[in-house]
Amino acid sequence: MNTEIQRLNGPILARWLSRYYEMKPFRGGTEFVAETDSRSGVIKIYDADQYISMDIMELIVYEKTGDYPLYYLHFELRSMRNAIENIQDFRDYLYERSYQTLDETPQIKIKNIAICCSSGWTSTHFAKQLQRHLQQNQLPVKVSAGSYHGIEKLVQENELILLAPQIAYLLPELQKKYGDKFGLINTRDFATQNYSAVLKQVQSH
């Protein structure tokens, strides 16, 4: 899609969100706030500028009694469909009473996994925590991370590459080129850091 057209995604989504959430403009973007009895939800749209070429959306859910996010996801507004799907998952999580994770850690045959996102920053954090989870469960799997700009290197060095939901729009193209070497991390599992569920996904890949 043309970049100029993609830049309309932010304003369109901001107008749509303003119908349902309290809107709070801030320098460089717009914030939308939603509340439940126990949780606070925040949607932020950061406007493109001289440093970032695309509007960025951030989705966060907090427990009102704590400061650490229960749910966190950020992504470029390149795909309207992807953005709406992520917003819907954010809403579902915000209004749920609880979310059950998987207690049982599966057995994994794959030895090398890479987590891939747009910049490599988010995937690096996720990969480190996933590696810790694997070590705690004595599973001999190596997890690395990287940006989709270095996708060829990730393909050469890993048996499986899992895309972060921020770049879900790339999956059809990558699967067409590389087959089942690519998968997609579920938005909820990524945003809530549900590592057991991700490993269950790897097992069934």
Side-chain angles (χ1 to χ4, degrees), residues 24-47:
K24 298 180 177 181
F26 63 89
R27 185 176 180 181
T30 309
E31 178 178 290
F32 304 87
V33 180
E35 302 279 345
T36 69
D37 291 340
S38 61
R39 293 178 176 177
S40 296
V42 179
I43 301 175
K44 291 184 177 181
I45 298 178
Y46 296 89
D47 300 333

Side-chain angles (χ1 to χ4, degrees):
M1 183 182 291
N2 186 282
T3 302
E4 294 301 319
I5 296 176
Q6 289 178 321
R7 286 176 178 165
L8 296 174
N9 290 343
I12 291 170
L13 285 167
R15 186 168 183 176
W16 175 60
L17 289 166
S18 68
R19 299 171 58 189
Y20 303 100
Y21 301 103
E22 180 186 355
M23 185 171 67
K24 298 180 177 181
F26 63 89
R27 185 176 180 181
T30 309
E31 178 178 290
F32 304 87
V33 180
E35 302 279 345
T36 69
D37 291 340
S38 61
R39 293 178 176 177
S40 296
V42 179
I43 301 175
K44 291 184 177 181
I45 298 178
Y46 296 89
D47 300 333
D49 57 23
Q50 59 181 331
Y51 302 107
I52 54 173
S53 61
M54 196 71 56
D55 290 354
I56 292 175
M57 178 170 283
E58 196 173 43
L59 306 173
I60 315 170
V61 177
Y62 296 95
E63 199 78 57
K64 286 185 175 179
T65 56
D67 297 325
Y68 188 79
L70 300 172
Y71 182 111
Y72 180 83
L73 185 70
H74 76 272
F75 53 95
E76 294 179 334
L77 290 175
R78 292 183 178 274
S79 166
M80 182 69 79
R81 178 178 178 179
N82 181 232
I84 291 173
E85 288 175 349
N86 289 339
I87 292 169
Q88 185 59 58
D89 188 77
F90 160 87
R91 284 171 51 87
D92 291 345
Y93 185 82
L94 176 64
Y95 294 109
E96 279 181 0
R97 292 184 179 180
S98 64
Y99 178 66
Q100 298 297 323
T101 60
L102 300 179
D103 295 326
E104 182 180 350
T105 302
Q107 295 300 312
I108 308 295
K109 294 182 179 179
I110 293 175
K111 299 302 180 185
N112 295 281
I113 301 170
I115 310 298
C116 181
C117 70
S118 54
S119 66
W121 182 83
T122 305
S123 59
T124 296
H125 172 75
F126 193 91
K128 285 181 178 178
Q129 297 303 316
L130 180 59
Q131 187 72 75
R132 180 178 299 176
H133 184 88
L134 285 159
Q135 290 172 346
Q136 290 173 345
N137 289 276
Q138 298 181 337
L139 293 172
V141 182
K142 181 182 178 182
V143 185
S144 59
S147 162
Y148 66 80
H149 297 294
I151 205 73
E152 293 295 337
K153 182 178 179 182
L154 293 180
V155 169
Q156 292 173 8
E157 296 178 352
N158 296 277
E159 298 172 69
L160 175 65
I161 299 97
L162 295 176
L163 302 182
Q166 297 96 312
I167 54 172
Y169 62 91
L170 292 173
L171 184 62
E173 175 188 342
L174 291 170
Q175 286 184 328
K176 183 177 180 180
K177 186 173 181 179
Y178 299 105
D180 63 0
K181 195 158 191 172
F182 279 84
L184 177 67
I185 300 175
N186 176 274
T187 299
R188 177 73 58 85
D189 296 334
F190 190 86
T192 60
Q193 300 181 49
N194 188 351
Y195 304 114
S196 291
V198 173
L199 294 182
K200 188 72 173 178
Q201 177 188 351
V202 172
Q203 182 188 39
S204 62
H205 184 75

